[in-house]
Amino acid sequence: MRIQTRKEDFTNPASKELCHLRQCCWKPQENSSAPSCFFPKNGGYQVTEGPTHTDEGFTANLRRLPSSSLFGYDITDLLLTAEYQTTNRFRFKISNPDRNRYEVPHEHVQSLDQKAASNLNYHVEVTNNPFSIKIRRTKNNRVLFDTSIGPLQYAEQYLQLSVQLPSHYVYGFGEHIHQQYLHNMDWKTWPIFTRDAIPNDNMSNLYGAQTFFLCLEDDSGLSFGVFLMNSNAMEVALQPAPAITYRIIGGILDFYVFLGNNPEQVVQEYLELIGRPFLPPYWSLGFQLSRRDYGGIEGLASVVNRTRAVGIPYDVQYSDIDYMEEKKDFTYDKEIFNGLDQFAEELHRNGQRYVIILNPGISNNLTYGPYERGSRKRVWVSGPIGPIVGEVWPGPAVFPDYTNPQGTQWWVEELVQFHKELNFDGIWIDMNEVSNFLSNDSLCEPNYLNYPPFVPRILDRQLFAQTLCMDTEQHWGLHYDVHSLYGYSMTIATENLNSGNGALSQDPEALGLQYPGMNSDVNTSNSFVGSLLGF
């Protein structure tokens, strides 16, 4: 099995010289999509102690086998921790026992606090040398998940695991433009790293990050799913074996495998782990209107009146950034949108709802109240010399750290205060990939975080392009690790309006729309949070 390797210059095809520099094997293939450069068969890890049974499952110590280093700083000793979580869910984690590495925090997913499940619908096998893990379905002894197809690689900034699958019927991963639900397994590589980019058909990464896939085993409907709990930049290479190779630049390997008699049961198992979607309010299912630049309050009102006049059922009206004063959050233009507060009340009198857009880029104008109050609370994403300044719709802007409890408190307070001025019903939160109009080529320090030894096939082949430098810091950790969680953290902060931190009443008639993908551990950008506010 050939596992494609990479090189320093990602803009040109791999060459024989660069391949041999990595101490890999070179053999051109007739299939132009297949890699000519591939890893040698030696390498990986071996089990040095265990597997040892525990109350939750088992553990094993792994040690790296002698082999060449691909990207440097290989980790010699690893710990495998396995949990038989339910009859249909198995978790295994590969981590560094000597030093904590970044792990994704999650509001729902927690370590098992009970004994291992019994009557399992799967069986797990561990091969000691070289190390691999294999998961079989008990019912028919079919191998679902087999890592013996390629060597485990585990370095400070490069993790790789390959998995052989029972069929080519693979669905999932995102966010990208997929021409069909069923994946093409002929050497297709998909990057996963949140990016504010125009959707296209060149397989580039887009707004969200979803690391879950589902595999139909055969025509019986039997299925299983795999979820990798990791928020670092990565790529997944789909191969005709059939197999999938994960290449990741940080964090740990933390896999969950779900079994089901059909795809629906697999998804139910997945949601049981990460949390079920919020039930949307009835009004959110109705007809809604949204566009950029209606032409001020007069244009907005005319659209509403015209739609009503022809009898079109019509529940929700939106406003994009043109309603704001100089495109600043928590403001509205008192000239172009004079009377917007009365407009919102008029919608309510007609049984309609009003949704506004908000972005995380906060103008750093010293006379702007939200910036002044946020600065006092020290809520901005920062670098070595203070808050990071980028550029978004209002011009020069700073970025709230929604992983910081102070940042969440500031955000909630600003929303509550603005709602007293404009009685909106929902929030469309946008630009939280996080998006920055600056390219950052000359602004980010030339260090190992901004320029790691391996970069997945992301758009522009630069981690910091159109976002923040990777060495900036947030409460949850380095932006290098938490970048793709920015939208997720913003959604959690917004949801705090309905928690004990919120100062808004709960109205059962106005329970809000859930942002898409709230059940995900990773970023859902351009999230729509409708009336989570409970107005």
Side-chain angles (χ1 to χ4, degrees):
M1 173 61 193
R2 287 178 166 78
I3 308 297
Q4 186 174 4
T5 187
R6 306 299 297 279
K7 53 187 180 48
E8 297 292 342
D9 181 3
F10 299 102
T11 61
N12 297 315
S15 67
K16 182 176 180 179
E17 293 72 21
L18 285 168
C19 184
H20 287 164
L21 183 65
R22 290 284 188 210
Q23 300 184 53
C24 292
C25 304
W26 177 264
K27 185 177 181 180
Q29 306 298 306
E30 292 183 6
N31 181 348
S32 60
S33 299
S36 299
C37 185
F38 54 93
F39 294 127
K41 291 183 178 180
N42 67 326
Y45 286 75
Q46 66 177 341
V47 176
T48 57
E49 184 178 340
T52 303
H53 292 288
T54 65
D55 287 344
E56 298 81 14
F58 62 87
T59 62
N61 294 332
L62 312 180
R63 176 156 292 176
R64 187 173 184 270
L65 293 168
S67 60
S68 59
S69 178
L70 291 173
F71 298 102
Y73 301 100
D74 298 285
I75 297 174
T76 302
D77 294 305
L78 299 174
L79 174 65
L80 169 68
T81 306
E83 298 174 348
Y84 302 118
Q85 294 200 334
T86 72
T87 57
N88 288 315
R89 184 173 83 224
F90 174 69
R91 178 199 187 188
F92 73 93
K93 180 169 79 167
I94 302 176
S95 58
N96 183 350
D98 299 320
R99 187 174 69 82
N100 289 335
R101 293 172 61 83
Y102 181 76
E103 297 187 34
V104 174
H106 196 280
E107 56 189 330
H108 298 300
V109 179
Q110 306 295 334
S111 294
L112 195 65
D113 59 358
Q114 61 191 30
K115 289 189 176 181
S118 57
N119 300 317
L120 302 177
N121 289 323
Y122 54 88
H123 174 68
V124 180
E125 303 170 13
V126 173
T127 300
N128 287 351
N129 191 10
F131 161 76
S132 68
I133 191 164
K134 185 180 296 183
I135 303 170
R136 295 180 183 270
R137 184 182 287 275
T138 306
K139 181 178 180 179
N140 54 17
N141 206 37
R142 176 183 290 128
V143 177
L144 307 181
F145 185 102
D146 183 1
T147 69
S148 66
I149 194 170
L152 167 66
Q153 304 285 346
Y154 210 116
E156 286 294 337
Q157 291 185 275
Y158 185 78
L159 286 67
Q160 176 175 292
L161 188 71
S162 296
V163 182
Q164 186 157 16
L165 306 174
S167 85
H168 291 80
Y169 300 114
V170 174
Y171 308 81
F173 295 124
E175 182 175 8
H176 321 95
I177 294 296
H178 294 285
Q179 300 300 325
Q180 59 184 26
Y181 292 122
L182 177 64
H183 271 292
N184 179 350
M185 301 295 286
D186 187 21
W187 301 105
K188 301 297 182 182
T189 300
W190 298 94
I192 300 178
F193 189 64
T194 59
R195 174 68 187 265
D196 181 16
I198 297 173
N200 54 62
D201 59 359
N202 64 4
M203 300 179 63
S204 61
N205 47 309
L206 294 174
Y207 310 111
Q210 304 290 340
T211 59
F212 173 81
F213 79 86
L214 183 145
C215 179
L216 273 169
E217 300 164 32
D218 53 29
D219 57 7
S220 70
L222 291 174
S223 308
F224 71 99
V226 177
F227 170 52
L228 171 60
M229 178 75 95
N230 185 297
S231 59
N232 286 87
M234 69 179 76
E235 64 184 31
V236 289
L238 311 183
Q239 299 141 69
I244 293 177
T245 294
Y246 294 85
R247 305 186 188 106
I248 313 157
I249 68 167
I252 65 169
L253 296 176
D254 192 0
F255 283 94
Y256 294 80
V257 181
F258 314 89
L259 276 69
N261 292 325
N262 52 57
E264 182 180 8
Q265 287 185 8
V266 172
V267 173
Q268 288 171 348
E269 291 285 342
Y270 177 48
L271 297 183
E272 180 68 26
L273 174 73
I274 64 173
R276 294 181 177 84
F278 187 83
L279 183 66
Y282 184 71
W283 59 262
S284 73
L285 305 178
F287 183 64
Q288 310 181 29
L289 282 179
S290 175
R291 61 160 286 179
R292 175 87 170 267
D293 192 6
Y294 276 103
I297 190 68
E298 292 83 6
L300 187 59
S302 69
V303 168
V304 173
N305 294 332
R306 183 173 68 241
T307 309
R308 277 190 205 143
V310 295
I312 297 176
Y314 172 29
D315 286 274
V316 188
Q317 178 60 53
Y318 291 70
S319 281
D320 207 322
I321 59 173
D322 50 298
Y323 82 90
M324 299 176 181
E325 178 185 340
E326 298 178 339
K327 299 183 175 62
K328 299 196 294 284
D329 280 358
F330 313 116
T331 68
Y332 73 88
D333 193 315
K334 300 299 194 302
E335 294 183 8
I336 300 175
F337 281 87
N338 183 35
L340 187 60
D341 50 345
Q342 287 87 15
F343 168 82
E345 297 302 340
E346 197 270 340
L347 286 176
H348 297 152
R349 286 192 293 271
N350 282 273
Q352 295 171 289
R353 307 287 175 165
Y354 183 48
V355 174
I356 60 170
I357 195 170
L358 290 174
N359 304 305
I362 301 296
S363 170
N364 66 348
N365 188 315
L366 295 176
T367 63
Y368 175 45
Y371 172 71
E372 181 187 6
R373 291 184 287 272
S375 296
R376 285 202 300 266
K377 289 181 179 289
R378 299 173 182 263
V379 305
W380 314 124
V381 176
S382 296
I385 59 174
I388 297 301
V389 179
E391 185 173 331
V392 202
W393 297 119
V398 291
F399 302 89
D401 179 5
Y402 296 104
T403 72
N404 182 344
Q406 288 292 310
T408 293
Q409 182 184 19
W410 165 84
W411 181 249
V412 169
E413 290 171 353
E414 295 298 333
L415 284 168
V416 171
Q417 181 170 319
F418 186 48
H419 184 257
K420 294 175 182 176
E421 184 177 353
L422 180 63
N423 189 10
F424 52 89
D425 301 287
I427 308 169
W428 165 18
I429 55 177
D430 190 29
M431 305 289 288
N432 49 19
E433 292 79 18
V434 55
S435 181
N436 177 9
F437 295 162
L438 300 179
S439 65
N440 286 330
D441 288 50
S442 60
L443 300 177
C444 296
E445 292 292 324
N447 56 36
Y448 69 100
L449 294 171
N450 292 314
Y451 295 91
F454 170 82
V455 178
R457 273 184 220 185
I458 59 173
L459 190 60
D460 296 328
R461 300 295 174 89
Q462 291 179 319
L463 296 173
F464 51 73
Q466 304 293 297
T467 187
L468 309 183
C469 298
M470 294 296 109
D471 54 357
T472 57
E473 295 186 24
Q474 296 180 237
H475 186 73
W476 279 356
L478 291 166
H479 198 71
Y480 181 89
D481 296 313
V482 305
H483 167 85
S484 289
L485 298 174
Y486 194 91
Y488 174 62
S489 65
M490 185 181 183
T491 353
I492 291 175
T494 307
E495 191 190 18
N496 266 267
L497 285 159
N498 275 349
S499 73
N501 295 328
L504 305 172
S505 63
Q506 288 286 345
D507 175 4
E509 294 297 321
L511 283 177
L513 290 179
Q514 190 67 333
Y515 25 91
M518 157 133 189
N519 53 348
S520 172
D521 69 296
V522 285
N523 173 42
T524 301
S525 297
N526 293 321
S527 306
F528 172 72
V529 183
S531 210
L532 286 171
L533 317 177
F535 305 146

